């Protein structure tokens, strides 16, 4: 009881601390965040203004790769990194009890985001580990003909939403296990594991403004889905994932899920508006731009555009003050263009011309406008340098030409 | 007591946040890290981008690569009566390294004779631009473009033969 009040007072003080707040990037200021030169060893509370302007960082438009930590999540995590450092599996003292309480609270937060029971959530190190646990279950199945369907909820490259509810319906009627990797979908679109008849779900922390290095797997209890543990040890997490649960990380994941649940509708509306603004502005100013992916069943925050006659990596080099990603071969280590674009039947030259724009919770209108303006300017410039654009302007059909190989 | 603890916590957190974007920030200005500044320079200050009249007898046009590969280079040379290359232009559909390789190629062929231009090697281009191993094929394509342009010019000089059609 005493502990609880002490904790609450400190947590309130931490939340009210101005030192923390002044560094949290204000919305709209992200356009040009100034970094500080190495500070002197003694930190000063009064030094709030940046002393030396050193390097300007690019805008961040790559939220599908990873997301920044929401300041509210950091607030929730900090006490568990600094003060409440107990092992949540320690049963004999207050440090263990308070960590365990925090872990269970986080479990409830994750569960309520997807309509699950907290007993069905197992913490892992990320969605990759969750996927591995889920797929390994196939080998542990009792009947030899039991099968598993595994589908991504929202694709990370083109943002397409799969018809999860329909697939879940089919799987449950055929008594086939249904797993979905919901890393890009959790907290962004409404998910309910019971309505959609999902048996296994992978969750990633750092895709929903939570910390890196943590995730969760949802494993249905009714009807029971049996999984085989990937790592063995002390039997933590109901024996399904041994290893001490990292309290600060799971508290962060829980806080991220709770924040996502509160902000989902607002974020979705705002991101849709920004996405509409970006695509409309670009498509109205430039000809021959193709949006990859189904326009209807699409998560708005992930926009994949192909700019014909301009290669993706050269556009990324030109847009050097915006952090973006491309489906072009030149940006992948293997020189192969994106397999996703190939799978949806995109022409190879358009696959080389694709850029993915990620719009997230902290993306501002100014950032979108800046990105659009620079993008239009550089696409025009690169088209002036492109022999394909020149040939198309001269009326030549590119498909009729026999190209050399090298 | 809780207040003092919170103050210390706040200072520690401020120090963490103020101090954390140190050296990584400098590295993070993307072009400095991912692209050599020579490569970026060819895009930001383009030279010899454009086209020459491909129907002229003195102009050789080389078109190499394929859109499906993500690399297409068009390199044109204008040769005077003495066999010296007096002008060169390029246009490229490709990554930054491809643009820089073809741009450098046009710079190098200018002022050379047709025979001298044949000696330009992709390894020289790659070395000049400090291309990483994964981008060496861009310099190879630039060398191919030079050779294709020279071959086209030579074909045009032969009597009664049509220009090397891009068939």
């Amino acid at each position: 009881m005493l502990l609880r009040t002490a904790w609450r007072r400190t947590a309130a003080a931490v939340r009210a601390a101005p030192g923390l707040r002044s560094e949290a990037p204000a919305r709209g200021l992200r356009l040009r965040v100034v970094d500080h030169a190495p500070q002197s060893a003694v930190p000063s509370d009064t030094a709030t203004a940046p002393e030396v302007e050193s390097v300007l960082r690019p805008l961040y438009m790559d939220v599908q790769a990873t997301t920044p930590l929401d300041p509210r999540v950091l607030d929730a995590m900090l006490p568990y990194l600094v003060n409440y450092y107990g092992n949540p599996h320690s049963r004999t003292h207050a440090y263990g009890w308070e960590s365990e309480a925090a872990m269970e609270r986080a479990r409830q937060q994750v569960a309520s985001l997807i309509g699950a029971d907290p007993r069905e959530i197992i913490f892992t190190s990320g969605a990759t580990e969750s996927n591995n646990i889920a797929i390994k279950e196939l080998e542990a199945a009792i009947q030899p003909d039991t099968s598993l369907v595994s589908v991504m909820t929202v694709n990370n490259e083109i943002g397409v939403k799969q018809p999860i509810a329909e697939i879940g319906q089919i799987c449950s009627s055929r008594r086939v296990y249904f797993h979905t990797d919901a890393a890009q979908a959790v907290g962004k679109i409404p998910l309910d594991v019971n309505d959609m008849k999902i048996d296994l779900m992978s969750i990633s922390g750092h895709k929903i403004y939570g910390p890196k290095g943590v995730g969760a797997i949802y494993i249905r209890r009714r009807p029971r889905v049996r999984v085989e543990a990937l790592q063995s040890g002390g039997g933590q997490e109901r024996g399904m994932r041994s290893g001490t649960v990292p309290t600060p990380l799971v508290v962060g994941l829980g806080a991220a899920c709770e924040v996502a649940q509160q902000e989902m509708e607002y974020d979705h509306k705002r991101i849709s508006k920004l996405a509409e603004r970006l695509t409309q502005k670009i498509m109205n100013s430039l000809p021959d731009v193709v949006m990859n992916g189904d326009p209807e069943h699409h998560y708005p925050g992930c926009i994949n555009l192909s700019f014909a006659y301009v290669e993706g990596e050269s556009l990324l080099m030109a847009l050097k003050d915006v952090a973006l990603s491309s489906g072009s071969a030149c940006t992948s280590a293997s020189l192969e263009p994106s397999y996703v674009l190939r799978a949806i039947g995109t022409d190879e030259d358009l696959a080389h011309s694709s850029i993915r724009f990620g719009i997230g919770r902290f993306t501002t209108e100014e950032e979108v406008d800046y990105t659009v303006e620079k993008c239009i300017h550089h696409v025009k410039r690169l088209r002036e340098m492109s022999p394909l654009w020149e040939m198309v302007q001269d009326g030549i059909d590119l498909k009729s030409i026999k190209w050399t190989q090298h | 007591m809780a207040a003092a603890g919170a103050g210390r916590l706040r200072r520690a957190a401020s120090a963490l946040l103020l101090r954390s974007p140190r050296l990584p920030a400098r590295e993070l200005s993307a072009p400095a890290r991912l692209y050599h500044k020579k490569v970026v320079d060819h895009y930001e200050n383009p030279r010899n981008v454009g086209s020459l009249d491909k129907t002229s007898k003195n102009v050789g046009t080389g078109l190499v690569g394929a859109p499906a590969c993500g690399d297409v280079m068009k390199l044109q040379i204008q040769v005077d009566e003495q066999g010296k290359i007096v002008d060169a232009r390029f246009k490229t559909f490709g990554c930054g390294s491809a643009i820089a390789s073809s741009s450098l190629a046009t710079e190098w062929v200018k002022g050379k004779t047709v025979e001298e231009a044949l000696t330009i090697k992709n390894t020289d281009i790659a070395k000049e631009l400090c291309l990483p191993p994964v981008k060496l094929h861009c310099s190879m394509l630039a060398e191919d473009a030079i050779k294709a342009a020279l071959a086209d010019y030579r074909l045009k000089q032969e009597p009664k033969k049509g220009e090397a059609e891009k068939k």
Side-chain angles (χ1 to χ4, degrees), chain A residues 13-14 17 19-20 23 35 45 57 309 311 313-314 317-318 320 330 348-349 352 378 381 384-385 387 390 403-404, chain B residues 6 9-11 13 17-18 21 25 28 31 35 43-44 46 51 64-65 67-69 74 91-96 135:
Chain A
V14 165
L20 277 173
E23 285 313 308
D35 281 311
D45 273 63
R57 291 162 66 86
Y309 322 120
E311 206 266 345
E313 204 246 25
S314 61
M317 174 185 73
K320 58 187 178 192
C330 288
E348 289 236 357
D349 53 341
H352 283 286
H378 285 288
R381 198 146 165 234
E384 292 299 308
M385 294 173 87
E390 187 187 46
W403 301 98
T404 65
Chain B
L9 182 65
R10 181 167 43 108
R11 265 192 290 277
L17 287 161
L18 276 170
L28 251 161
Y35 306 100
Y43 170 69
E44 305 213 308
S51 297
V64 294
C69 297
K74 184 184 80 156
K91 280 205 176 187
T92 296
F93 164 83
C95 64
K135 293 291 182 190

Side-chain angles (χ1 to χ4, degrees), chain B residues 38-118:
Chain B
K38 287 184 184 168
V39 170
V40 181
D41 181 52
H42 278 276
Y43 170 69
E44 305 213 308
N45 305 303
R47 30 247 191 221
N48 307 326
V49 173
S51 297
L52 301 167
D53 177 13
K54 67 174 187 275
T55 56
S56 158
K57 192 166 179 262
N58 293 333
V59 169
T61 303
L63 182 69
V64 294
C69 297
D71 256 321
V72 177
M73 288 183 192
K74 184 184 80 156
L75 199 141
Q76 291 178 304
I77 50 169
Q78 183 157 10
V79 188
D80 68 8
E81 305 302 320
Q82 282 78 41
K84 199 161 85 125
I85 299 169
V86 292
D87 202 6
R89 291 270 186 271
F90 83 97
K91 280 205 176 187
T92 296
F93 164 83
C95 64
S97 302
I99 292 174
S101 299
S102 43
S103 172
L104 189 67
T106 55
E107 286 192 314
W108 278 0
V109 295
K110 272 194 192 173
K112 289 198 165 60
T113 65
V114 170
E115 288 76 25
E116 285 169 354
L118 272 170

Side-chain angles (χ1 to χ4, degrees), chain A residues 96-139:
Chain A
W97 305 331
E98 73 201 359
S99 283
E100 189 189 9
M103 178 178 78
E104 292 309 318
R105 200 166 32 242
R107 206 185 295 275
Q108 174 62 56
Q109 287 166 325
V110 176
S112 76
L113 182 60
I114 58 172
D117 185 287
R119 291 168 293 182
E120 296 170 316
I121 301 291
I122 305 291
F123 289 117
T124 62
S125 65
T128 302
E129 188 186 338
S130 303
N131 287 340
N132 274 273
I133 294 174
I135 305 297
K136 201 138 189 273
E137 187 268 347
L138 179 70
E139 286 154 4

Side-chain angles (χ1 to χ4, degrees), chain A residues 97-278:
Chain A
W97 305 331
E98 73 201 359
S99 283
E100 189 189 9
M103 178 178 78
E104 292 309 318
R105 200 166 32 242
R107 206 185 295 275
Q108 174 62 56
Q109 287 166 325
V110 176
S112 76
L113 182 60
I114 58 172
D117 185 287
R119 291 168 293 182
E120 296 170 316
I121 301 291
I122 305 291
F123 289 117
T124 62
S125 65
T128 302
E129 188 186 338
S130 303
N131 287 340
N132 274 273
I133 294 174
I135 305 297
K136 201 138 189 273
E137 187 268 347
L138 179 70
E139 286 154 4
I142 304 162
Q143 283 116 14
D145 56 337
T146 309
S147 53
L148 169 77
V149 167
S150 177
V151 172
M152 221 178 195
T153 320
V154 168
N155 185 277
N156 59 317
E157 288 200 37
I158 56 181
V160 162
K161 290 197 299 206
Q162 300 297 342
I164 295 297
E166 285 88 341
I167 298 174
Q169 192 60 44
I170 295 172
C171 285
S172 85
S173 62
R174 305 272 178 90
R175 296 175 165 248
V176 164
Y177 293 112
F178 179 36
H179 163 256
T180 180
D181 182 346
Q184 297 283 351
V186 167
K188 303 199 173 104
I189 57 171
L191 291 172
D192 189 298
V193 292
N194 294 313
D195 292 344
M196 297 172 169
K197 304 213 179 347
I198 295 170
D199 296 313
L200 295 149
M201 184 194 277
S202 300
I203 298 164
S204 173
H206 73 114
K207 300 285 162 63
I208 55 172
Y209 311 94
K212 294 170 183 52
V214 71
I217 179 168
Y218 160 77
I219 303 172
R220 180 172 284 282
R221 284 179 81 239
R222 297 222 182 103
R224 187 167 287 275
V225 174
R226 295 197 185 281
V227 294
E228 192 174 290
L230 272 183
Q231 54 190 54
S232 54
Q236 287 85 1
E237 294 295 278
R238 300 167 190 273
M240 291 198 239
R241 200 266 183 184
S242 293
T244 304
V245 171
T247 314
L249 292 177
V250 303
V251 165
L253 175 62
C257 287
E258 186 167 303
V259 169
Q261 195 163 12
Q262 291 160 0
E263 308 263 312
M264 198 187 312
E265 202 187 316
Y266 175 79
D267 276 351
H268 196 273
K269 260 198 220 114
R270 206 186 72 95
I271 290 173
S272 300
K273 215 161 53 93
L274 286 176
E276 183 70 24
R277 191 184 175 90
L278 189 147

